[in-house]
Amino acid sequence: MQAAPAAAAAALTALSVLLTLDCLSAHRPPNNQIQQQTDETAQKKKNQPHIVFILTDDQGFNDIGYHNPTIKTPTLDKLAAEGVKLENYYVQPICTPSRSQLITGRYQIHTGLQHSIIRPRQPSCLPSHMDTLPERLREAGYATHMVGKWHLGFYRKACLPTRKGFDTFFGSLTGSVDYYSYESCDGKDLCGYDLHDDEGVAWGHEGKYSTTLFTQRARKILESHDPAERPLFLLLSFQAVHTPLNPPESYIYPFRDMVNVPRRNFAGMVSTVDEAVRNVTYALRKYGYYRNSVIIYSTDNGAQPFTGGNNWPLRGRKGTYWEGGVRGVGFVHSPLLRRRRRVSKALMHITDWFPTLVGLAGGNISQSQGLDGFDVWPAISEGRESPRKEILHNIDPLHKSPIEKKNQDEENWVKTLKTKVLKKVKKKKKVLKKPPKQKLAFKTKTTKKPQTFSHHASKPKSKPLFKKKLKPRLKSKPPPKAKKTKAHTWDRPLPNHRPHPKIGGTSSGSGTSRPKSPPPIQTRLKTKFRRTTSQNQNLSQSSRPKSKTLKLHSKSKSKRTFFPYQNRSQPGIPLIKSHPTLQFGLESLQPVWDTSVQAAIRVGDWKLLTGDPGHGDWVPPQMLPTSLPGRWWNLERSILYQKSSVHKNIWLFNITGDPYERHDLADQRPDVVQQLLARLAYYNQTAVPVYFPPDDPRANPSQHRGAWVPWVEEEEDEEGKYQGVYKKSNNKMKKKKKKKCMLCNLQSFFLKMSEGTVSSRI
């Protein structure tokens, strides 16, 4: 009897266990579904390529073997020949702007870094709220590493590379470091050690050449990482070929026949980069990365001819917005390219790498608001048309040419545009007729020039003014002087007027020749400008009549504020009509842009520069033994260029037909000038205030054991501390004026440099 209840309890227990297992199996996905999800995850990891981005410093257009055979770069030439050469690729003219746009994918007008570079003592860096390329790649599952030069600010720990998305960092934080001692100076007397490992100072590496040291660290990263487990992103940012020019002597020897010593040393430094790239690509093959990798090679800006670099045949140099300063050397090498061994003419910019690489990695760029870059991988890999149609090179409201130059160039441009419009609408100029004697207000000078009249004069009669019967009256009793009244500028005759040069006329190296400068047409063009952060860069003529279509002013803000925008250069955004004056008359001929402001923009084939774009010389290869500018600097300086107008503020070039910028078309195509000026005004509406704070004495390396390290505590709100931008004191300006001969000092400097290098020649 007792066995029966026990058997029943056992049966109930077994039944409950079976029911529990059935419930669990019902909620658990089938084995084939689990296997499918696992396979999808593995396939996604397999499709994510390893990305190696190699960034050089100050390598010019003529400083690579496939552009110039005298520069020996066999590894780079081979990689570029087997990949895709980017021959319509643009960067920024100096270090910090290029690197900031690579990391953020935004124009520098949208990060507050429009002006100059970040200097070692400046409390400035990338905006704290803005996402970065390594952050988006890390979210996609990548291991992110950086080796080399940062130069994006380090005044607080939040600015360091390890706080901006990189898992590890090894390199320098400032812009110019000695290749052996790793000493970086901000001025002559303020120097400190600058080599860091993650967030600490990497002492004890003195005597090791930085290019070699960075390559060794890159190979160590590749060796320690498992390519099958996790995709890799490596930013290898070489300090080379930036000054100082001191490569190992073994790399200089192959160029011993070069008589120009700076060029010889520079070529040796390019060879060190070529060897470093060879070692990195060898490691990619050795450790199993290569078959699923993308190698990108790019410079950060153009070369400086005074220090051995060369941009021939492009115009300009580093620090300028001519093609020599912004046209970058670059190529992509990858087994994943669908069309290889070709040259790409697709328009690309350094901001495009952000969306391109995030998209290639399978990441999500929808969370990155305000990107100015485009995904150009189809254009690179398949040869499709580039989605990019225009490039805003920059708008720098703190870099302005003198007001006199601005007014004169605007007067010439307005006069040209007026002439074109008058021809289009077929309005004939009418000679003003003689008013009644009581209201006569013309000048008594006998000349063939048209005379100026007041708007208060009554309607003239049909006969012309200049008749002999007026002479007795003029001799006996001159007419009373008329009260000065403000006449409209278009009604005022132009003194010393000369016919506008015909379309298709010859042009000099720097632009078409202009007639002698007439007196100012509009006194309203002269305005005062304040270089303050609180402005939204009042770049339109503030004293002119306000335009109804363009509002160029915004509310002042002390901190770096940012506006929502997305790809302002999208093809879908229509350009402003170039000739509104042909339909609406002369009232809308007011310029829409302050042409004294340094700015540059590329739209389609056209490129416009305003303000002071920098030295616009064509510097040939350094073939002479001396580096003094007097002997070889002027080889391409034509007489026409030397006699060009000093008041010029507007340049226009068709870059597709004239890639070397030798024919200025600003006078011949005022309609295009008007359209591109409107685009500059449009971009300026989205700009944030410039953030360029003064130097902070707390950054002195002597206060930090002789090294450059972060000096501001995280609790301090340094980013919103400065209401204005950094302005040099009057005392410094006075000291600069005391310099008697800048050219003499420059020649003396390069003479000493040449003598020092020649004394130690091989």
Side-chain angles (χ1 to χ4, degrees):
M1 296 293 293
Q2 296 179 355
L12 290 174
T13 304
L15 182 61
S16 62
V17 170
L18 290 175
L19 292 174
T20 304
L21 292 175
D22 290 340
C23 293
L24 291 175
S25 61
H27 291 284
R28 184 177 59 188
N31 293 334
N32 58 351
Q33 186 176 354
I34 296 175
Q35 184 64 30
Q36 184 179 359
Q37 292 176 356
T38 305
D39 293 342
E40 289 179 356
T41 304
Q43 185 66 24
K44 181 180 178 181
K45 288 184 177 180
K46 184 179 179 180
N47 293 336
Q48 289 178 307
H50 306 288
I51 303 171
V52 178
F53 198 109
I54 302 173
L55 186 66
T56 59
D57 200 347
D58 292 3
Q59 185 176 9
F61 189 81
N62 202 34
D63 295 333
I64 196 166
Y66 61 81
H67 284 167
N68 179 9
T70 62
I71 301 295
K72 296 178 174 59
T73 54
T75 302
L76 299 178
D77 296 347
K78 185 175 185 296
L79 293 175
E82 295 175 352
V84 177
K85 299 176 184 176
L86 307 179
E87 293 298 301
N88 201 10
Y89 170 57
Y90 286 86
V91 291
Q92 295 304 112
I94 48 180
C95 303
T96 298
S98 283
R99 296 166 193 274
S100 68
Q101 297 192 40
L102 168 65
I103 296 296
T104 66
R106 282 95 168 173
Y107 290 143
Q108 58 199 92
I109 66 166
H110 298 145
T111 59
L113 301 174
Q114 298 96 312
H115 184 68
S116 190
I117 60 174
I118 297 178
R119 304 192 180 279
R121 287 180 287 174
Q122 280 187 303
S124 176
C125 69
L126 294 177
S128 57
H129 71 282
M130 191 168 287
D131 62 331
T132 64
L133 173 61
E135 288 176 348
R136 288 288 175 241
L137 291 177
R138 187 161 62 180
E139 291 176 0
Y142 275 71
T144 57
H145 304 274
M146 179 177 178
V147 178
K149 175 179 174 179
W150 175 241
H151 203 188
L152 289 174
F154 61 94
Y155 76 99
R156 64 198 318 170
K157 287 187 177 181
C159 301
L160 298 177
T162 51
R163 305 292 181 96
K164 293 296 182 180
F166 289 104
D167 297 332
T168 65
F169 169 73
F170 181 79
S172 59
L173 298 175
T174 61
S176 179
V177 183
D178 186 85
Y179 285 80
Y180 294 97
S181 66
Y182 301 98
E183 183 181 62
S184 176
C185 297
D186 188 16
K188 295 182 179 180
D189 303 324
L190 195 63
C191 299
Y193 187 80
D194 184 16
L195 186 63
H196 296 75
D197 194 347
D198 289 337
E199 297 184 2
V201 181
W203 301 98
H205 292 280
E206 296 86 351
K208 300 177 183 178
Y209 189 62
S210 69
T211 304
T212 305
L213 186 64
F214 294 159
T215 306
Q216 292 174 352
R217 175 54 67 96
R219 293 191 62 178
K220 184 178 180 181
I221 292 173
L222 295 175
E223 181 181 2
S224 60
H225 182 78
D226 184 4
E229 180 182 353
R230 192 179 180 190
L232 174 78
F233 171 63
L234 172 62
L235 175 57
L236 182 54
S237 177
F238 287 115
Q239 178 189 349
V241 287
H242 195 284
T243 54
L245 304 178
N246 51 0
E249 291 187 1
S250 60
Y251 295 94
I252 306 176
Y253 186 78
F255 304 98
R256 59 190 178 279
D257 294 333
M258 286 188 178
V259 294
N260 186 276
V261 177
R263 184 62 173 170
R264 180 197 308 164
N265 293 338
F266 188 93
M269 294 178 67
V270 177
S271 292
T272 65
V273 174
D274 185 79
E275 183 183 272
V277 174
R278 184 187 66 184
N279 293 332
V280 171
T281 53
Y282 175 79
L284 290 174
R285 296 176 186 271
K286 180 179 179 181
Y287 300 117
Y289 295 88
Y290 179 75
R291 292 183 180 274
N292 188 32
S293 67
V294 176
I295 302 173
I296 302 168
Y297 185 89
S298 171
T299 183
D300 68 340
N301 48 250
Q304 173 57 271
F306 276 146
T307 56
N310 195 259
N311 303 304
W312 179 263
L314 302 180
R315 182 177 185 176
R317 56 180 174 84
K318 172 185 177 180
T320 72
Y321 290 96
W322 305 106
E323 291 291 285
V326 296
R327 176 80 70 88
V329 171
F331 64 82
V332 177
H333 177 93
S334 173
L336 306 178
L337 293 170
R338 295 188 178 182
R339 292 182 57 192
R340 291 180 283 177
R341 301 179 182 275
R342 65 183 184 87
V343 175
S344 173
K345 294 289 186 179
L347 184 63
M348 300 180 191
H349 186 250
I350 195 169
T351 54
D352 296 332
W353 294 121
F354 187 112
T356 300
L357 298 183
V358 173
L360 193 61
N364 184 10
I365 63 171
S366 62
Q367 299 177 1
S368 302
Q369 297 297 321
L371 290 180
D372 292 305
F374 293 89
D375 186 349
V376 294
W377 183 250
I380 296 173
S381 178
E382 305 172 20
R384 297 183 185 179
E385 183 180 357
S386 173
R388 177 173 289 280
K389 303 303 178 185
E390 62 186 50
I391 298 174
L392 176 68
H393 293 298
N394 193 26
I395 299 173
D396 186 357
L398 302 190
H399 192 150
K400 304 181 71 173
S401 58
I403 298 298
E404 298 81 11
K405 298 181 180 180
K406 174 201 67 173
N407 289 339
Q408 187 58 54
D409 198 75
E410 285 184 345
E411 291 158 8
N412 292 339
W413 178 79
V414 170
K415 181 182 69 176
T416 302
L417 188 58
K418 176 191 172 186
T419 304
K420 295 287 183 180
V421 173
L422 290 178
K423 288 183 179 180
K424 188 71 178 180
V425 299
K426 298 181 180 180
K427 286 186 177 181
K428 299 180 180 180
K429 293 184 178 180
K430 297 181 180 180
V431 180
L432 297 179
K433 306 304 184 292
K434 175 185 173 183
K437 295 181 181 180
Q438 292 82 359
K439 300 288 184 177
L440 190 59
F442 63 87
K443 297 180 181 179
T444 59
K445 293 182 180 179
T446 57
T447 176
K448 295 182 179 181
K449 298 179 182 178
Q451 303 300 308
T452 304
F453 291 85
S454 168
H455 275 297
H456 293 287
S458 61
K459 185 176 180 180
K461 296 181 180 180
S462 59
K463 293 184 180 181
L465 283 173
F466 304 106
K467 293 291 183 178
K468 293 183 179 180
K469 64 181 181 180
L470 292 177
K471 291 183 179 179
R473 170 176 168 77
L474 294 175
K475 289 182 180 180
S476 60
K477 186 177 180 181
K481 294 184 179 180
K483 296 181 180 179
K484 294 183 180 180
T485 58
K486 294 183 179 179
H488 194 280
T489 55
W490 299 121
D491 298 329
R492 185 181 300 171
L494 302 178
N496 301 327
H497 175 72
R498 295 186 181 183
H500 178 69
K502 296 181 179 180
I503 297 177
T506 59
S507 60
S508 64
S510 64
T512 53
S513 58
R514 292 175 175 267
K516 292 184 178 179
S517 304
I521 299 176
Q522 289 179 299
T523 58
R524 292 177 294 174
L525 292 176
K526 296 184 178 180
T527 57
K528 297 181 180 179
F529 297 89
R530 296 181 180 178
R531 300 179 177 181
T532 59
T533 316
S534 59
Q535 295 174 330
N536 187 24
Q537 284 61 285
N538 291 325
L539 302 182
S540 65
Q541 297 297 337
S542 58
S543 57
R544 295 179 184 145
K546 295 183 179 179
S547 173
K548 296 181 180 180
T549 57
L550 292 175
K551 298 179 181 180
L552 303 183
H553 305 275
S554 65
K555 297 180 181 180
S556 61
K557 298 184 179 182
S558 60
K559 295 187 178 182
R560 280 196 277 185
T561 54
F562 302 89
F563 305 95
Y565 55 90
Q566 185 76 19
N567 281 342
R568 292 288 177 179
S569 57
Q570 285 184 358
I573 299 177
L575 297 182
I576 297 176
K577 294 182 180 180
S578 58
H579 252 313
T581 56
L582 300 182
Q583 300 177 0
F584 303 107
L586 300 174
E587 292 78 14
S588 57
L589 278 177
Q590 301 294 338
V592 297
W593 184 254
D594 178 4
T595 58
S596 69
V597 173
Q598 185 187 63
I601 189 172
R602 167 84 180 267
V603 179
D605 298 335
W606 296 102
K607 178 181 178 181
L608 179 77
L609 304 100
T610 66
D612 178 17
H615 297 287
D617 301 317
W618 296 269
V619 183
Q622 297 90 328
M623 304 300 295
L624 301 179
T626 179
S627 60
L628 292 179
R631 297 187 60 183
W632 56 270
W633 185 265
N634 295 324
L635 292 180
E636 263 294 318
R637 276 188 171 183
S638 63
I639 298 177
L640 292 175
Y641 176 75
Q642 294 177 352
K643 292 184 178 181
S644 63
S645 174
V646 296
H647 302 301
K648 189 167 180 58
N649 273 352
I650 300 177
W651 293 263
L652 179 70
F653 300 96
N654 185 323
I655 297 299
T656 303
D658 179 24
Y660 311 138
E661 298 172 300
R662 293 182 177 269
H663 304 287
D664 182 12
L665 303 176
D667 291 338
Q668 302 177 22
R669 296 300 304 271
D671 57 323
V672 179
V673 172
Q674 175 80 345
Q675 177 176 329
L676 268 61
L677 289 176
R679 291 303 291 169
L680 285 175
Y682 175 78
Y683 275 109
N684 185 59
Q685 291 178 307
T686 69
V688 302
V690 179
Y691 192 74
F692 194 71
D695 294 337
D696 192 336
R698 295 177 293 173
N700 194 326
S702 62
Q703 302 180 19
H704 309 283
R705 299 177 57 193
W708 292 104
V709 295
W711 67 89
V712 173
E713 298 296 333
E714 295 299 320
E715 293 76 14
E716 298 183 43
D717 185 17
E718 201 76 14
E719 189 168 329
K721 178 178 179 180
Y722 300 99
Q723 302 298 323
V725 298
Y726 175 61
K727 293 166 64 175
K728 295 182 178 179
S729 62
N730 295 330
N731 296 332
K732 293 183 179 180
M733 297 298 292
K734 291 179 181 178
K735 290 181 180 179
K736 284 189 175 182
K737 292 181 180 180
K738 292 180 180 179
K739 295 181 180 180
K740 296 181 179 180
C741 180
M742 294 295 293
L743 181 60
C744 300
N745 296 336
L746 188 64
Q747 290 182 343
S748 176
F749 166 75
F750 284 106
L751 180 61
K752 292 179 181 179
M753 184 179 68
S754 297
E755 291 176 350
T757 51
V758 169
S759 61
S760 59
R761 69 169 52 182
I762 300 175

